[in-house]
């Protein structure tokens, strides 16, 4: 462009030409803005979105004992993504939980190798089951997420690593394979427990540490109309701070460190089916943990050696066929999650074998906006008592 | 002098075109894309000889590209956003702007890829395009693909509207 402007003042016509070019150049330079200006002026490479849920939970009275209700902005997540070019994009999700806690849920750079294959690196969701990947509240029935996806799959489960994401449209298949850092199983003491399983060991990308990487993969098939089938697997060892600074020549120290980690093999199968007004979904997850005997002895915890969880849910859109885009979904779900399905050398605690039955309504007023109400009956194998809980919530995704 | 003026005019136009091009991202149809489109168009119109001629004088064309297919129908090629990226799809229309086929050519992420399911896309065939309400209402949702379902619905409807305006069908 400077070459063309040199010819300025040769004659009037050329002057006009040059001015015109300069104007275009000026217009173009406006386009070279900083990121804040890009957001303001609208930029095709920038994606902004979000999701959130505001909940009201009310536990039933136990006899004459009153329980207060809770009202909470359970989560509010802003999504920011940027496409640098056709091949390269960045994805991030910043989450506010219960107003005061801030987390980063996803933050990764994705590079397209081919049109059906990309590699990504950064903080990513572990591809296990339905809700860890599809955790936006308007995508599931019920105010709260399923407890299988809290106690067995510790949603939102995300760690830092590198992943391959691929798909074959021809075969209606997509897959993901990932190397990530594992759970923190031992720092000042044992982190895993019988009650909450692996949940407290999530490192979430916050100064996480690694001894060996773990492997996660998922394949899903959507070739049959209305049906989506998923198969997920996760294998690896938990991380332990006992290995940091460990002298590998010291056999006693190595043996002690070895007793602070566990091996994890988690497998999940899931299915979602929609036909007309009917929606069905189900999921089964099993986690086999090794070395729990040594781990429990060392940490004085009560971690189970097998964790299982499943749910089956049926929903029906009562407004199907009516002249409206709104949906009123009535649903029922049966859910069992057991963090003591099997144990090694400790007593099974039946209270960790828990069952929730949920019945409720979801009023989808727009695609991505819902009002929800449900009632949950919670029980466990260690007691004959059942507790009831009402939940009301608003859910959005955009 | 005259030739100099012509050169400067040409240069201006070229620079303007280049600058304009830098604002609009026009997707270039690959040979593979064309092969898919041709195969399906041949089957739909039951003919071996196809002639695609691009139509450019359509209002609010944007990034969409329209082609007339012989005297049999129309092809629209378009891009729409999925969760994080954009995907490319095409629509084949009859002469009366009825949708005969929608197919996704390239889908660039795993989220929402279910919309590429051919059987799901069949519901666009002869769909009622009289209003967006009835159009959108007759498309089934897909669990986990909400954003992409919304996107392909809204975009294919818009494309149909553009063609209808061009054909003076509305």
């Amino acid at each position: 462009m400077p070459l063309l402007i040199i010819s300025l003042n040769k004659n009037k016509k050329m002057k006009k030409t040059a001015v015109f070019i300069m104007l275009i150049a000026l217009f173009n330079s406006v386009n070279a803005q900083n990121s804040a200006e890009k957001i303001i002026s609208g930029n095709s490479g920038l994606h902004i979105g979000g999701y959130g849920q505001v909940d009201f939970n009310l536990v039933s009275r136990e006899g004459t004992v009153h329980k207060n209700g809770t009202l909470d902005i359970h989560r509010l997540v802003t999504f920011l993504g940027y496409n640098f070019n056709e091949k390269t994009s960045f994805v991030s999700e910043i989450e506010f939980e219960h107003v005061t806690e801030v987390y980063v849920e996803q933050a990764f750079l994705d590079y397209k190798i081919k049109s059906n294959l990309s590699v990504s690196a950064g903080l990513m969701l572990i591809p296990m089951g339905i809700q860890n990947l599809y955790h936006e509240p308007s995508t599931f029935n019920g105010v709260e997420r399923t407890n299988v996806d809290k106690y067995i799959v510790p949603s939102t489960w995300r760690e830092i690593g590198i992943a391959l994401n691929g798909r074959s449209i021809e075969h209606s298949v997509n897959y993901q394979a990932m190397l990530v850092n594992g759970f923190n199983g031992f720092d000042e003491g044992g982190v895993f427990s019988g009650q909450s399983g692996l949940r407290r060991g999530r490192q979430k990308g916050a100064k996480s540490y690694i001894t060996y990487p773990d492997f996660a993969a998922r394949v899903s098939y959507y070739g049959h109309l209305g049906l989506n089938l998923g198969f997920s697997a996760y294998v690896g060892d938990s991380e332990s701070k006992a290995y940091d600074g460990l002298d590998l020549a010291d056999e006693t120290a190595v043996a002690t460190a070895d007793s602070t980690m566990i091996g994890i093999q988690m497998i999940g199968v899931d299915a979602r089916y929609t036909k007309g007004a009917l929606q069905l979904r189900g999921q089964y997850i099993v986690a086999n943990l090794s070395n729990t005997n040594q781990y429990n002895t060392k940490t004085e915890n009560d971690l189970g050696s097998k964790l299982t969880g499943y749910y089956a849910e049926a929903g029906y859109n009562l407004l199907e066929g009516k002249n409206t885009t709104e949906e009123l979904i009535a649903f029922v779900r049966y859910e069992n999650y057991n963090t003591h399905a099997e144990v090694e050398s400790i007593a099974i605690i039946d209270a960790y074998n828990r069952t929730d039955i949920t019945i409720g309504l979801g009023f989808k007023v727009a695609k991505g906006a819902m009002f929800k109400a449900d009632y949950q009956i919670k029980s466990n194998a260690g007691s004959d008592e059942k507790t009831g809980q009402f939940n009301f919530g608003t859910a959005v995704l955009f | 002098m005259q030739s100099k003026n012509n050169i400067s005019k040409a240069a201006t136009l070229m620079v303007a075109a280049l600058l304009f091009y830098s604002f609009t991202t026009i997707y270039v149809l690959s040979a593979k894309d064309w092969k898919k489109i041709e195969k399906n168009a041949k089957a739909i119109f039951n003919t071996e000889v196809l002639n695609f001629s691009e139509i450019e004088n359509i209002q609010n064309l944007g990034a969409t590209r329209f082609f007339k297919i012989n005297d049999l129908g129309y092809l629209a090629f378009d891009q729409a956003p999925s969760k994080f990226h954009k995907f490319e799809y095409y629509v084949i229309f009859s002469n009366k702007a009825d949708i005969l086929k929608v197919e996704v050519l390239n889908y660039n992420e795993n989220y929402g890829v279910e919309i590429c399911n051919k059987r799901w896309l069949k519901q666009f065939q002869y769909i009622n395009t009289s209003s967006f309400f009835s159009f959108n209402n007759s498309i089934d949702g897909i669990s986990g693909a909400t954003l992409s379902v919304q996107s392909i619905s809204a975009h294919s409807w818009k494309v149909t509207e553009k063609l209808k305006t061009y054909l003076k069908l509305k």
Side-chain angles (χ1 to χ4, degrees):
Chain A
M1 188 159 327
L3 281 175
L4 289 160
I5 297 168
I6 289 167
S7 62
L8 200 64
N9 287 335
K10 281 261 171 89
N11 64 29
K12 271 186 181 175
K13 264 190 182 175
M14 287 193 88
K15 199 173 175 181
K16 263 188 199 167
T17 310
V19 169
F20 179 56
I21 289 169
M22 281 170 77
L23 275 173
I24 294 171
L26 188 71
F27 184 51
N28 202 23
S29 71
V30 172
N31 204 31
Q33 303 152 316
N34 66 33
S35 51
E37 287 166 332
K38 275 176 185 168
I39 293 169
I40 294 160
S41 66
N43 183 302
S44 64
L46 188 74
H47 284 228
I48 300 175
Y51 66 86
Q53 68 182 85
V54 183
D55 301 343
F56 171 41
N57 308 104
L58 192 60
V59 181
S60 305
R61 280 181 186 161
E62 276 174 33
T64 54
V65 181
H66 176 76
K67 299 274 175 78
N68 279 342
T70 56
L71 303 99
D72 186 27
I73 298 178
H74 194 148
R75 51 178 64 91
L76 189 62
V77 179
T78 50
F79 163 76
L80 281 177
Y82 189 72
N83 289 334
F84 294 93
N85 55 39
E86 291 278 316
K87 286 181 166 182
T88 320
S89 59
F90 177 72
V91 169
S92 76
E93 276 185 8
I94 297 156
E95 170 171 43
F96 293 88
E97 256 188 53
H98 315 295
V99 180
T100 52
E101 298 167 30
V102 181
Y103 296 102
V104 177
E105 252 188 16
Q106 301 190 66
F108 62 86
L109 189 64
D110 186 77
Y111 178 73
K112 195 161 106 179
I113 303 166
K114 302 196 293 181
S115 71
N116 59 1
L117 184 70
S118 70
V119 60
S120 44
L123 182 72
M124 291 173 290
L125 300 172
I126 308 294
M128 174 61 67
I130 301 170
Q131 273 188 17
N132 199 54
L133 288 174
Y134 302 97
H135 52 246
E136 295 86 351
S138 65
T139 63
F140 55 83
N141 286 322
V143 173
E144 303 296 343
R145 292 179 184 172
T146 49
N147 276 321
V148 171
D149 294 288
K150 180 176 179 182
Y151 291 98
I152 312 299
V153 180
S155 300
T156 304
W157 184 9
R158 71 277 191 188
E159 297 291 347
I160 295 176
I162 183 160
L164 275 178
N165 314 291
R167 70 208 73 84
S168 164
I169 294 177
E170 305 271 294
H171 300 99
S172 302
V173 164
N174 67 65
Y175 60 90
Q176 195 171 16
M178 196 184 263
L179 274 181
V180 283
N181 75 305
F183 291 103
N184 161 34
F186 186 90
D187 39 38
E188 270 97 50
V191 173
F192 302 135
S193 72
Q195 200 266 340
S196 65
L198 306 167
R199 186 169 181 81
R200 285 199 297 130
R202 294 173 300 166
Q203 302 205 57
K204 306 171 187 174
K207 291 183 179 170
S208 10
Y209 69 98
I210 188 162
T211 313
Y212 295 108
D214 291 7
F215 177 75
R218 178 176 166 89
V219 180
S220 59
Y221 173 74
Y222 55 91
H224 191 283
L225 186 60
L227 179 71
N228 197 319
L229 288 174
F231 178 80
S232 326
Y234 180 95
V235 282
D237 294 335
S238 65
E239 320 298 350
S240 164
K241 288 208 166 154
Y243 285 106
D244 201 29
L246 179 71
D247 179 3
L248 297 174
D250 184 344
E251 282 180 22
T252 322
V254 170
T256 308
D258 283 349
S259 67
T260 63
M261 52 78 86
I262 59 159
I264 302 159
Q265 280 185 318
M266 194 186 288
I267 282 170
V269 285
D270 55 77
R272 285 168 282 170
Y273 183 69
T274 322
K275 190 172 170 71
L278 183 70
Q279 317 172 344
L280 302 172
R281 62 168 65 190
Q283 174 172 291
Y284 176 76
I285 308 281
V286 56
N288 283 303
L289 311 180
S290 61
N291 208 39
T292 58
N293 188 17
Q294 289 85 333
Y295 182 84
N296 287 334
T297 309
K298 168 79 183 164
T299 61
E300 296 176 5
N301 283 358
D302 61 344
L303 179 65
S305 61
K306 186 176 183 179
L307 284 56
T308 57
Y310 63 88
Y311 69 80
E313 180 190 293
Y316 195 86
N317 175 17
L318 301 170
L319 298 180
E320 177 77 14
K322 301 274 192 308
N323 192 23
T324 174
T325 51
E326 294 172 344
E327 292 177 33
L328 182 64
I329 302 156
F331 76 95
V332 58
R333 180 170 64 226
Y334 180 89
E335 183 177 10
N336 175 268
Y337 47 104
N338 186 355
T339 46
H340 261 190
E342 281 177 20
V343 294
E344 283 182 301
S345 317
I346 53 167
I348 282 190
I349 296 174
D350 286 332
Y352 297 162
N353 180 2
R354 289 155 279 189
T355 299
D356 298 351
I357 294 167
T358 311
I359 48 170
L361 281 173
F363 185 30
K364 202 173 260 190
V365 286
K367 282 173 180 165
M370 262 178 118
F371 294 107
K372 296 175 173 184
D374 61 61
Y375 184 70
Q376 293 187 296
I377 303 159
K378 298 186 176 190
S379 61
N380 66 68
S383 149
D384 290 333
E385 293 206 4
K386 288 183 166 67
T387 54
Q389 181 175 329
F390 282 104
N391 305 301
F392 303 92
T394 52
V396 291
L397 160 69
F398 52 90
Chain B
M1 205 62 200
Q2 190 61 40
S3 65
K4 248 191 180 175
N5 266 340
N6 284 344
I7 288 166
S8 77
K9 261 186 198 166
T12 313
L13 278 173
M14 268 175 67
V15 171
L18 272 173
L19 290 173
F20 179 73
Y21 191 78
S22 70
F23 290 115
T24 54
T25 46
I26 296 171
Y27 178 84
V28 182
L29 278 155
S30 73
K32 207 176 143 196
D33 294 339
W34 271 118
K35 223 175 155 185
K36 259 192 200 168
I37 294 169
E38 281 183 351
K39 192 182 142 204
N40 283 306
K42 278 177 186 171
I44 287 165
F45 297 118
N46 199 20
T47 175
E48 275 305 304
V49 188
L50 287 175
N51 178 27
F52 293 91
S53 51
E54 187 151 9
I55 312 162
E56 275 156 358
N57 56 337
I58 287 184
Q59 278 184 350
N60 306 317
L61 194 58
T64 321
R65 293 177 73 185
F66 282 94
F67 298 85
K68 190 166 170 55
I69 310 172
N70 300 359
D71 282 325
L72 301 167
Y74 295 88
L75 163 74
F77 172 80
D78 192 27
Q79 277 184 314
S82 49
K83 191 170 183 184
F84 303 134
H85 293 267
K86 279 181 181 169
F87 62 89
E88 287 88 40
Y89 73 100
Y90 71 91
V91 187
I92 293 177
F93 295 97
S94 73
N95 271 332
K96 291 175 184 164
D98 294 317
I99 295 179
L100 304 178
K101 178 151 189 105
V102 177
E103 188 177 16
V104 179
L105 289 166
N106 299 297
Y107 196 89
N108 295 310
E109 62 185 301
N110 285 355
Y111 274 101
V113 69
E114 292 87 353
I115 65 158
C116 302
N117 184 308
K118 285 178 185 165
R119 280 190 254 178
W120 185 79
L121 288 169
K122 260 196 180 159
Q123 59 189 326
F124 286 86
Q125 215 173 329
Y126 290 108
I127 193 169
N128 181 352
T129 58
S130 59
S131 75
F132 183 63
F133 178 80
S134 59
F135 181 88
N136 200 32
N137 217 6
S138 45
I139 294 167
D140 285 338
I142 303 175
S143 172
T146 316
L147 297 174
S148 295
V149 168
Q150 271 176 285
S151 180
I152 197 166
S153 304
H155 276 75
S156 54
W157 190 75
K158 265 187 215 160
V159 163
T160 312
E161 286 292 288
K162 284 179 198 173
L163 182 65
K164 277 183 171 176
T165 311
Y166 172 73
L167 296 173
K168 297 190 172 70
L169 288 170
K170 53 170 275 181

